[in-house]
Amino acid sequence: MSEQSCFHCGLTIPKNEEINFDEKKFCCTGCKTVYEIFSLNDLTCYYDFEKSPGATPQDIQGKYDFLDNEAILAKVLEFQEANTSIVSLNIPHIHCSSCIWILENLNRLQPGISTSQVNFPEKKVRITFNSETVSLKSIVYLLSSIGYEPYISLENYETGKNKVDRSLTYKVGVAFFCFGNIMLLSFPEYFEIKEFWLDSYKPFFRILIFLLALPSFLYSASGYYVSAYHSIRTRMLNIDIPIALGIIVMFIRSTYDMLMDHGPGFFDSLASLVFFMLLGKMFQTKTYSFLSFERDFKSYFPIAVTRINADFSEESVPIYDVLKGNRLLIRNQELIPVDGILMSEKAEIDYSFVTGEAVPITKKSGDKIFAGGKQIGKVIEMEVLHSVSQSYLTQLWSNEIFQKKVEQKHKTITDALSRYFTPILLLIAFAGFGYWIFIDANIAFNVFTAVLIVACPCALALTAPFTFGNILRIMGKQKMYLKNALVIEQLAKVDTIVFDKTGTITTNKKSNILYEGIDFSDENLQLIKNVLRGSNHPLSRMLYDFLPEYERIKIDDFQEITGKGILAFAEEKEVKIGSSSFVESEVLDSSEIERTSLHIKIDNIYYGKFIFQNQYREGLEKLFETLSREYNIKVLSGDNDGERENLEAILPKNTELVFNQKPEQKLEFIKKLQETGKNVMMVGDGLNDAGALAQSNVGVSVSENVNVFSPACDAILDAGEFSRLNYFLKLSHKSILIIKMSFGLSLLYNIVGLTFAVTGNLLPLVAAIIMPLSTITIVSFVTFMSNYLSCKNLD
Amino acid sequence: MSVIYLLISVSIFVAICFFIAFIVAVKSGQYDDDYTPSVRILFDDETKITSQNNNSPIEEKQV
């Protein structure tokens, strides 16, 4: 075996670096320590459920000191009384059964924890512990030490008890209960057995049926009455009006029939109708509970920050308490929560959360630094300029687009159809009534009610939920996660697509690295590779991955100077890697500044530089070419136009490129497009796109890791599937086609039912057959069609 | 009193009992997480094995 993977985390172990312990191989001491902890506590079962399930623990020294602060602690805890506390922690690493097992056996690692329960789909663990024997901070440290570092952000600060809405489950339960029992009790009526014995019990059966229909009619169907009432008030005819009308008429007519002993009424159809429609509703509301589509900056900002008081003491304070003029301490890997001025000499700030740009920016003392960046390297100090809500980035969320909760931005396809459906239905009902009234008043009333009952657009109303629900699942399997089913309709309407540049059409994982300068000897390359190994700077990591594998050599002296580069000695050579000023390269022209590069100097000889270029995603050119045939494509970027030439070479000719866009400007750009009547899809990634994503008709967030990062949006697309964007758009068009086809089918059923109704022949038995039959045909039709079309090659 | 009244009443009563059980189950949050319990149920035995036999957990679990 040439490649070996770590027993704990499964990563490939670099050559000659493996650590042997207990006859197992580990890639680093971190992984070994976790194994030691587990084996000491009889918890090695952890490795039995899944192969190499672990993660390397990260260094979190001082990161969670804020959990000592009582005020913050009270906000994070879900429940606290006497010495029992409960906390729900979000742990992104939860991914397999081993994770569930170890997290539910935490009490064996830490006395004081009584129970811990994992919610796998939400990636959360709920821990009940005794706050006198163990503190939350030590639990968090324990979790981190075994590789399950919890994710605590500003969002946790406002956790109340989040109420789960289970009313739909109750309604479906009630509807099913009523439906099932009514069906059983209706059997004697269906067969019309003229038997004395059964006839004498008819009133008893009918009363029971009536009583059973009440909860279904009054409770389960209540949502339709409310929705119908609203739609009448706002004068927007939606599909719920004929449904509510049908249900109410059905109930009244059936009660009347029963009282007058005309027949058994339509209670069975009523119960089945309500049940099937609620089932459709439930099918449509597929949610991806491990994803969040409502995230704002709060999910990314820390809950507390270290403040330096006037007497130089350090104190953890909640972020909302940070005021202008305060001095803050930001550690390695910590997020800068507010705008401020850098007090320390130098800082390397990674704005990838905000812009999607992977390369950190160097700031000098006195420079303004903006909220949202992550400090990399040493501890820095800063002075606050604006409080959290006033900061450059967070101000975006005070825009009105984030204020109002837009329930539904557009009319759905079903509602559009029902604008015609409802008036026509009423017209037929009245025409039938008008015709029969001259012949027989009794039949006239029967016909009138029968029309409303049979035309109750159950199948029509079910078409969209089942089609969209199914497409939603199909897309989810292919890593395009939609917020809800309505997004599919929006996708089909899109005519303009706006892309963000950095992080969206470029990837931040790989970089295109070019070398300019004197050729290196193998020895020198080996030297560079080994020097880079010690550095955690993103550029060093990228270059390290780019260079070929070499044997390890010993580095005698290693020094990393923040914002400058690396100075190292090895094999009696001095190696300098870093910025041009640090390496003192003689060749300096002004165009160099806009490019990201690493310069190399060995033993005072300047060799050359590695240039990092944006790497565009695979398949981008083809995607843009196909998209440009049907859509208007625009590219927005927050950067300067240094990449313009490269982009123009890749993109189709008529593509509009806009550079130097601030977050608000992106939002305005989308707004302007919409004002000209365009349906805009925004494809973005970072927090600076959040405004544009919210403003657009469909906001798609491209994410390298769907579990971790994505701003508020309508859909989350896994970055690996980016080149298939066209497929998803095509699929949304197809789903609209399916819906239209099945609308035709269900209208056919309606016509058949209506012919029974207007001739006055609608028997309860006929209704009881037509209604479920149409429902089943429609559901199977749309399920089959959507699965068939999604498998077909749509390109 | 005819037996049919009794039978139907009993059957409805039983149905209502199940219905109430369903409501209670939903209310207690059993339907909120429908994945984790299915994994959790497989764990219990393995925990015991390791805590009893420290030395040979590997042989035990291969059974």
Side-chain angles (χ1 to χ4, degrees):
Chain A
M1 238 172 77
S2 59
E3 281 208 342
Q4 280 174 322
S5 56
C6 175
F7 183 67
H8 175 72
C9 68
L11 291 177
T12 316
I13 307 174
K15 265 183 197 161
N16 308 327
E17 251 188 83
E18 61 182 52
I19 298 167
N20 280 299
F21 179 78
D22 205 12
E23 293 172 10
K24 290 166 181 90
K25 293 186 176 68
F26 298 94
C27 67
C28 58
T29 42
C31 290
K32 195 199 86 181
T33 321
V34 181
Y35 176 77
E36 266 182 297
I37 297 174
F38 290 164
S39 60
L40 277 178
N41 290 284
D42 290 345
L43 292 171
T44 42
C45 255
Y46 177 66
Y47 298 100
D48 299 340
F49 302 113
E50 196 87 15
K51 211 178 156 216
S52 315
T56 315
Q58 303 291 321
D59 182 29
I60 53 158
Q61 198 82 61
K63 195 171 164 188
Y64 293 103
D65 282 347
F66 61 83
L67 290 174
D68 287 334
N69 184 321
E70 283 295 324
I72 298 170
L73 194 64
K75 292 279 186 187
V76 176
L77 288 176
E78 194 178 296
F79 171 85
Q80 192 175 25
E81 208 173 276
N83 48 24
T84 311
S85 302
I86 300 177
V87 68
S88 268
L89 294 172
N90 186 356
I91 302 182
H93 182 63
I94 294 179
H95 72 289
C96 65
S97 44
S98 282
C99 304
I100 301 176
W101 186 80
I102 194 73
L103 290 174
E104 299 206 332
N105 280 297
L106 275 183
N107 51 351
R108 291 164 63 182
L109 284 174
Q110 173 78 56
I113 295 177
S114 47
T115 55
S116 46
Q117 202 178 23
V118 176
N119 184 330
F120 189 81
E122 285 178 18
K123 293 187 191 287
K124 271 188 180 159
V125 60
R126 194 159 180 266
I127 303 171
T128 314
F129 61 98
N130 187 329
S131 49
E132 277 186 5
T133 42
V134 64
S135 71
L136 179 62
K137 192 177 149 190
S138 45
I139 293 177
V140 169
Y141 276 104
L142 169 75
L143 286 169
S144 308
S145 73
I146 58 171
Y148 288 95
E149 191 182 340
Y151 187 72
I152 302 176
S153 68
L154 197 54
E155 215 174 31
N156 294 58
Y157 198 77
E158 282 143 7
T159 40
K161 261 294 204 184
N162 45 343
K163 282 226 162 170
V164 200
D165 185 22
R166 302 193 184 107
S167 63
L168 187 60
T169 322
Y170 291 134
K171 280 179 181 169
V172 172
V174 171
F176 184 58
F177 171 78
C178 300
F179 162 68
N181 283 294
I182 290 174
M183 276 299 173
L184 277 179
L185 293 171
S186 305
F187 262 106
E189 301 272 7
Y190 289 159
F191 300 115
E192 285 193 78
I193 302 161
K194 290 277 180 249
E195 199 182 335
F196 169 76
W197 188 80
L198 269 178
D199 266 355
S200 58
Y201 291 114
K202 229 178 206 169
F204 173 64
F205 275 56
R206 285 186 181 173
I207 286 172
L208 269 183
I209 289 175
F210 174 74
L211 288 177
L212 281 168
L214 278 179
S216 187
F217 173 70
L218 294 175
Y219 175 66
S220 296
S222 56
Y224 293 101
Y225 314 139
V226 176
S227 162
Y229 175 71
H230 281 304
S231 98
I232 291 172
R233 279 197 58 182
T234 53
R235 287 165 199 284
M236 292 228 318
L237 294 182
N238 68 8
I239 194 77
D240 289 341
I241 295 175
I243 291 174
L245 199 67
I247 295 173
I248 292 170
V249 167
M250 210 184 270
F251 185 78
I252 294 170
R253 162 93 186 261
S254 309
T255 317
Y256 176 81
D257 276 2
M258 202 170 261
L259 286 176
M260 293 293 150
D261 204 19
H262 286 321
F266 299 90
F267 289 122
D268 48 350
S269 307
L270 178 117
S272 72
L273 187 109
V274 172
F275 172 62
F276 282 127
M277 282 194 304
L278 288 175
L279 212 59
K281 230 182 205 176
M282 205 168 199
F283 188 75
Q284 194 181 26
T285 51
K286 157 92 179 170
T287 48
Y288 300 101
S289 45
F290 64 99
L291 297 175
S292 173
F293 292 97
E294 310 295 344
R295 282 180 176 157
D296 57 12
F297 67 92
K298 286 190 195 115
S299 314
Y300 309 104
F301 275 39
I303 200 163
V305 68
T306 315
R307 182 168 68 190
I308 304 171
N309 292 331
D311 56 353
F312 296 106
S313 61
E314 290 176 14
E315 185 195 6
S316 288
V317 287
I319 284 214
Y320 289 122
D321 293 354
V322 170
L323 297 173
K324 191 183 166 184
N326 283 166
R327 282 194 113 185
L328 302 179
L329 192 81
I330 311 286
R331 295 190 184 84
N332 182 19
Q333 294 294 327
E334 271 187 358
L335 204 85
I336 295 160
V338 289
D339 292 354
I341 288 177
L342 184 68
M343 309 296 283
S344 305
E345 196 194 337
K346 275 220 161 131
E348 291 265 305
I349 298 165
D350 169 12
Y351 279 106
S352 60
F353 267 169
V354 184
T355 58
E357 175 64 60
V359 181
I361 294 163
T362 309
K363 294 275 179 183
K364 286 203 257 341
S365 178
D367 280 355
K368 214 174 159 191
I369 46 180
F370 296 105
K374 216 181 207 179
Q375 160 63 7
I376 292 174
K378 274 193 274 177
V379 173
I380 55 164
E381 276 180 39
M382 61 178 282
E383 192 176 304
V384 179
L385 278 183
H386 304 286
S387 63
V388 174
S389 54
Q390 300 290 312
S391 285
Y392 171 74
L393 179 70
T394 45
Q395 257 185 346
L396 186 61
W397 274 268
S398 56
N399 189 299
E400 58 176 9
I401 195 81
F402 290 103
Q403 300 304 317
K404 52 186 175 203
K405 280 253 177 222
V406 190
E407 272 285 303
Q408 200 177 311
K409 289 188 234 171
H410 310 268
K411 252 200 195 130
T412 61
I413 183 166
T414 322
D415 289 339
L417 185 79
S418 73
R419 260 179 50 202
Y420 305 100
F421 186 82
T422 316
I424 291 173
L425 175 66
L426 288 174
L427 202 73
I428 295 174
F430 279 110
F433 181 75
Y435 172 75
W436 282 102
I437 192 91
F438 300 108
I439 303 162
D440 187 339
N442 232 347
I443 296 179
F445 275 105
N446 275 351
V447 166
F448 182 69
T449 50
V451 167
L452 291 182
I453 290 169
V454 84
C456 182
C458 170
L460 209 64
L462 279 174
T463 301
F466 272 96
T467 314
F468 289 145
N470 207 16
I471 296 280
L472 192 76
R473 283 167 174 77
I474 290 168
M475 286 193 179
K477 269 186 205 145
Q478 312 197 21
K479 296 184 180 165
M480 167 95 166
Y481 306 98
L482 303 184
K483 182 174 161 187
N484 57 38
L486 292 175
V487 178
I488 301 170
E489 273 195 66
Q490 298 307 314
L491 269 180
K493 280 188 197 151
V494 165
D495 51 25
T496 307
I497 308 177
V498 180
F499 289 92
D500 171 57
K501 184 178 78 77
T502 323
T504 306
I505 59 176
T506 67
T507 160
N508 53 20
K509 275 213 179 120
K510 276 180 282 171
S511 218
N512 215 352
I513 301 175
L514 285 180
Y515 176 71
E516 274 178 24
I518 316 161
D519 284 342
F520 288 113
S521 63
D522 258 13
E523 272 166 44
N524 281 338
L525 272 180
Q526 182 183 12
L527 201 62
I528 294 167
K529 176 107 178 170
N530 275 287
V531 169
L532 288 171
R533 186 195 293 272
S535 166
N536 263 327
H537 192 281
L539 284 182
S540 319
R541 303 310 310 166
M542 277 188 230
L543 188 57
Y544 179 81
D545 291 336
F546 172 73
L547 294 175
E549 282 287 338
Y550 285 104
E551 284 285 310
R552 279 201 81 176
I553 49 171
K554 198 170 168 285
I555 306 290
D556 299 319
D557 187 28
F558 181 87
Q559 219 185 334
E560 191 161 6
I561 302 143
T562 309
K564 285 182 174 171
I566 309 166
L567 179 64
F569 287 95
E571 295 187 332
E572 288 158 19
K573 280 180 182 167
E574 187 203 54
V575 183
K576 267 180 152 185
I577 303 172
S579 65
S580 59
S581 60
F582 174 67
V583 180
E584 298 147 29
S585 64
E586 295 94 38
V587 266
L588 239 184
D589 56 82
S590 56
S591 71
E592 286 302 297
I593 299 162
E594 289 191 353
R595 293 155 87 179
T596 318
S597 51
L598 270 186
H599 299 254
I600 312 277
K601 198 175 196 177
I602 299 173
D603 271 348
N604 272 322
I605 303 162
Y606 179 76
Y607 277 83
K609 56 182 182 283
F610 287 98
I611 300 161
F612 295 77
Q613 282 183 333
N614 279 324
Q615 168 85 41
Y616 292 98
R617 288 193 193 280
E618 269 172 51
L620 184 77
E621 214 166 325
K622 193 166 169 271
L623 174 74
F624 271 71
E625 198 214 302
T626 33
L627 283 180
S628 65
R629 276 183 237 146
E630 280 161 59
Y631 301 95
N632 208 338
I633 296 180
K634 292 169 199 304
V635 175
L636 286 184
S637 174
D639 300 345
N640 57 38
D641 58 0
E643 278 282 318
R644 184 184 278 273
E645 274 176 35
N646 278 338
L647 261 175
E648 273 170 354
I650 296 175
L651 303 182
K653 275 197 182 129
N654 50 359
T655 313
E656 187 183 344
L657 299 170
V658 189
F659 290 95
N660 295 319
Q661 292 288 300
K662 291 201 186 94
E664 290 86 4
Q665 286 175 317
K666 288 187 179 179
L667 195 156
E668 284 302 318
F669 185 85
I670 305 276
K671 213 173 187 171
K672 286 228 175 74
L673 280 175
Q674 284 173 329
E675 276 160 12
T676 57
K678 296 264 195 288
N679 279 312
V680 186
M681 174 161 104
M682 171 77 200
V683 187
D685 69 310
L687 275 181
N688 61 348
D689 299 324
L693 288 171
Q695 175 68 42
S696 62
N697 301 55
V698 188
V700 180
S701 158
V702 177
S703 175
E704 299 279 353
N705 182 349
V706 288
N707 296 324
V708 180
F709 180 77
S710 48
C713 56
D714 298 311
I716 298 174
L717 175 64
D718 189 288
E721 303 292 317
F722 181 75
S723 56
R724 300 187 64 211
L725 197 62
N726 193 33
Y727 168 81
F728 295 115
L729 285 165
K730 280 256 169 66
L731 194 56
S732 69
H733 281 288
K734 292 287 177 204
S735 63
I736 299 292
L737 183 75
I738 295 169
I739 288 179
K740 283 183 179 156
M741 276 153 74
S742 79
F743 273 168
L745 205 63
S746 71
L747 283 176
L748 265 176
Y749 271 110
N750 265 326
I751 290 166
V752 173
L754 281 173
T755 47
F756 277 106
V758 287
T759 50
N761 290 325
L762 185 73
L763 296 172
L765 185 62
V766 176
I769 291 170
I770 285 190
M771 286 193 173
L773 190 69
S774 64
T775 309
I776 290 163
T777 352
I778 292 297
V779 170
S780 25
F781 174 75
V782 297
T783 315
F784 171 76
M785 284 302 282
S786 49
N787 282 324
Y788 170 71
L789 285 175
S790 69
C791 292
K792 255 184 26 179
N793 188 5
L794 294 176
D795 292 325
Chain B
M1 173 120 166
S2 175
V3 71
I4 195 107
Y5 291 116
L6 184 73
L7 281 177
I8 298 267
S9 315
V10 167
S11 78
I12 297 278
F13 175 74
V14 170
I16 287 174
C17 285
F18 278 109
F19 178 66
I20 290 169
F22 169 74
I23 298 288
V24 171
V26 174
K27 204 160 227 160
S28 68
Q30 281 187 34
Y31 287 83
D32 294 353
D33 177 6
D34 51 8
Y35 179 78
T36 327
S38 70
V39 179
R40 192 179 295 135
I41 197 163
L42 303 169
F43 288 153
D44 286 337
D45 299 324
E46 327 245 346
T47 320
K48 272 176 212 151
I49 290 165
T50 21
S51 45
Q52 279 160 11
N53 308 319
N54 273 337
N55 306 328
S56 56
I58 294 155
E59 286 144 30
E60 285 286 341
K61 61 124 210 205
Q62 277 171 347
V63 175

